[in-house]
């Protein structure tokens, strides 16, 4: 008799546990913060972890998966096609920005989020018109068309963007000063990080360098984490939520240069920003964080290391991108959707589904 009652209780308890787990699983995040380490492979992460005495913020993510990065026309993707896959959910040809291989204009998760009333933002350490951020904003057949990409910002629903690239808005062949147009559209245009930090509300165009920002180990300071903090502060005011893309743009550049200290400085700078994002997501409670890469760069290998001393010896196999799987780390509601091995295009497709962003 007693046994049966106990059994019933156990069954009832486990049903309620299952129910509460499925309710948590069904929760749709209010905000999504999508972080891209350009060129960041698994070895980049462990090299940085070793340099940081065996610990990184990225380890706080609860779920891990992998993505296949090949593009529509090449086993080795470039950042334009890799970013288009991550932004729009379509594999395209290398060099193309927010366009399918047949030059059909695509609509990114950022653009679609803006359409349903979410606030949207971008924070990068390259020019904001560089391939990766451009994939979330623009539709161009060639990533080199940075002045055309700047024009595409005028049509985007974006609320906050912080990075470099002022010259593509101001010193243009067509003579237009797009910063004036941005002001007409209600943006505060800030050209220094001090000005960025002073903006307390509303739309912000932070164009804090002519082109790219300096290297992390050559005077960029905490620009990426400070800009991220500001973007979150501004976007968080929308009760409907927000979509924010953050890129560690120069991990790729350090790796193309086969420069270990440049690469590691960029990795640690990116991870510091990961920490800020995860602190916010943990406190806010309804924010999905996805951290991934568009491809690996440099074929970075780890030859030796010392976790106590924080020493790491790395080698590069190539000055180009490689074809290896890249990791996906996720945290927050729906984080479990991103585990396993998937196509890069599956990541935005899952976002589109969970937020009902189909056109
Ligand atoms: Mg990039
Ligand atoms: Zn690259």
């Amino acid at each position: 008799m007693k046994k049966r009652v106990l059994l019933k209780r156990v069954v009832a308890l486990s049903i309620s546990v299952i129910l509460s787990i499925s309710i948590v699983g069904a929760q749709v995040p209010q905000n999504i913060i999508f972080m891209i380490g350009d060129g960041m492979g698994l070895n980049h992460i462990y090299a940085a972890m070793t340099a940081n005495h065996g610990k990184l913020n990225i380890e706080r993510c609860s779920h891990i998966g992998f993505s296949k990065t090949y593009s529509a026309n090449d086993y080795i993707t470039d950042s334009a096609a890799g970013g288009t896959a991550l932004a729009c959910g379509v594999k395209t040809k290398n060099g193309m920005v927010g366009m399918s291989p047949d030059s059909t204009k695509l609509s990114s998760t950022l653009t679609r989020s803006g359409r349903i009333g979410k606030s949207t933002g971008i924070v990068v350490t390259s020019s904001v018109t560089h391939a990766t951020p451009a994939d979330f904003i623009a539709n161009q057949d060639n990533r080199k068309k940075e002045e055309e990409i700047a024009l595409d910002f005028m049509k985007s629903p974006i609320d906050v963007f912080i990075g470099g690239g002022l010259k593509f808005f101001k010193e243009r062949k067509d003579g237009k000063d797009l910063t004036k147009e941005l002001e007409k559209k209600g943006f505060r245009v800030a050209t220094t990080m001090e000005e960025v930090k002073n903006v307390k509300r509303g739309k912000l165009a932070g164009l804090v360098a002519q082109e790219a920002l300096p290297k992390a180990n050559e005077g960029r300071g905490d620009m990426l984490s400070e800009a991220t903090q500001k973007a979150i502060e501004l976007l968080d005011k929308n009760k409907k939520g927000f979509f924010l893309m953050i890129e560690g743009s120069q991990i790729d550049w350090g790796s193309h240069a086969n420069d270990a200290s440049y690469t590691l400085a960029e990795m640690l700078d990116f991870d510091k920003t990961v920490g800020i994002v995860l602190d916010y997501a943990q406190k806010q409670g309804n924010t999905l964080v996805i951290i991934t890469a568009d491809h690996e760069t440099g074929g970075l290998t780890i030859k030796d290391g010392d976790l106590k001393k924080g020493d790491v010896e790395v080698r590069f196999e190539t000055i180009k991108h490689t074809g290896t799987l890249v990791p996906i780390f996720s945290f927050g509601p729906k984080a479990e959707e991103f585990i396993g091995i998937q196509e890069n295009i599956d990541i935005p497709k899952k976002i589109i589904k969970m937020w009902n962003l189909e056109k």
Side-chain angles (χ1 to χ4, degrees):
M1 214 29 194
K2 244 187 177 176
K3 253 189 189 168
R4 239 186 230 172
V5 172
L6 192 67
L7 189 67
K8 267 189 190 166
R9 268 193 204 153
V10 169
V11 169
L13 189 69
S14 45
I15 286 172
S16 72
V17 166
I18 288 164
L19 272 178
S20 60
I21 286 170
S22 63
I23 286 164
V24 168
Q27 189 190 3
V28 173
Q30 181 187 26
N31 311 316
I32 297 177
I33 304 180
F34 195 87
M35 302 185 73
I36 300 176
D38 195 318
M40 179 180 74
L42 197 55
N43 290 354
H44 287 75
I45 294 167
Y46 196 61
M49 203 180 283
T50 305
N52 202 40
H53 307 275
K55 249 337 207 184
L56 283 182
N57 288 305
I58 204 167
E59 290 175 64
R60 291 162 56 191
C61 289
S62 52
H63 294 73
I64 298 167
F66 287 96
S67 106
K68 302 176 193 177
T69 66
Y70 65 90
S71 71
N73 70 330
D74 204 322
Y75 182 72
I76 308 294
T77 189
D78 80 325
S79 291
T84 297
L86 293 173
C88 306
V90 173
K91 292 212 189 236
T92 194
K93 291 191 234 169
N94 286 4
M96 293 179 94
V97 168
M99 272 189 174
S100 65
D102 64 359
S103 295
T104 307
K105 290 182 180 181
L106 303 169
S107 188
S108 74
T109 44
L110 184 148
T111 305
R112 292 167 191 240
S113 301
R115 274 198 218 126
I116 63 160
K118 304 261 186 197
S119 290
T120 58
I122 275 176
V123 176
V124 297
T125 58
S126 60
S127 65
V128 297
T129 47
H130 208 264
T132 314
D135 289 324
F136 287 81
I137 299 292
N139 310 105
Q140 296 294 336
D141 60 5
N142 191 327
R143 60 185 285 174
K144 288 182 188 141
K145 296 182 175 171
E146 290 195 66
E147 291 189 3
E148 285 84 345
I149 290 166
L151 260 183
D152 283 348
F153 270 80
M154 304 300 129
K155 297 181 229 156
S156 167
I158 194 160
D159 300 290
V160 173
F161 53 99
I162 310 170
L166 180 63
K167 75 169 212 183
F168 302 109
F169 289 79
K170 245 181 133 69
E171 289 159 32
R172 302 168 50 82
K173 283 185 221 91
D174 62 11
K176 283 184 188 163
D177 182 350
L178 298 184
T179 62
K180 292 266 154 38
E181 285 191 32
L182 284 167
E183 279 166 356
K184 267 188 228 152
K185 286 165 136 317
F187 279 88
R188 271 286 305 275
V189 177
T191 55
T192 65
M193 277 308 291
E194 275 318 298
E195 285 172 44
V196 163
K197 283 189 240 172
N198 284 331
V199 176
K200 298 292 179 229
R201 64 191 63 80
K203 294 182 172 210
L204 167 62
L207 295 165
V208 296
Q210 285 298 321
E211 291 188 62
L213 273 291
K215 299 173 183 177
N217 57 353
E218 285 181 8
R220 190 167 77 235
D222 285 328
M223 176 269 168
L224 185 63
S225 44
E226 288 173 358
T228 294
Q229 214 140 25
K230 179 53 71 179
I232 290 173
E233 178 195 321
L234 296 175
L235 298 173
D236 179 64
K237 295 186 198 303
N238 183 351
K239 287 195 178 70
K240 286 186 179 165
F242 65 83
F243 180 95
L244 171 62
M245 193 286 283
I246 301 161
E247 185 197 22
S249 317
Q250 300 191 31
I251 299 164
D252 178 63
W253 303 354
S255 304
H256 279 297
N258 287 4
D259 182 335
S261 43
Y262 181 11
T263 303
L264 288 172
E266 291 297 339
M267 277 299 305
L268 293 173
D269 180 59
F270 184 64
D271 187 67
K272 184 174 185 178
T273 307
V274 167
I276 283 163
V277 166
L278 290 175
D279 286 348
Y280 167 79
Q282 212 152 13
K283 214 167 119 197
Q284 197 271 347
N286 199 6
T287 300
L288 168 64
V289 180
I290 302 165
I291 308 163
T292 190
D294 46 357
H295 52 74
E296 196 270 354
T297 305
L300 187 151
T301 54
I302 300 171
K303 298 286 288 179
D304 202 1
D306 187 320
L307 290 160
K308 273 210 185 97
K309 288 185 191 153
D311 288 341
V312 60
E313 188 193 330
V314 305
R315 292 271 170 84
F316 294 93
E317 164 66 23
T318 173
I319 56 164
K320 296 181 178 170
H321 300 168
T322 70
T324 186
L325 293 167
V326 293
I328 307 161
F329 296 82
S330 53
F331 178 92
K334 298 276 186 199
E336 69 280 1
E337 299 249 338
F338 301 90
I339 63 168
I341 296 180
Q342 58 216 284
E343 295 288 347
N344 51 7
I345 55 174
D346 291 337
I347 304 170
K349 281 181 180 172
K350 287 168 187 175
I351 294 172
I352 286 167
K353 202 171 164 204
M354 78 175 73
W355 272 3
N356 290 316
L357 299 176
E358 293 93 354
K359 286 283 144 152

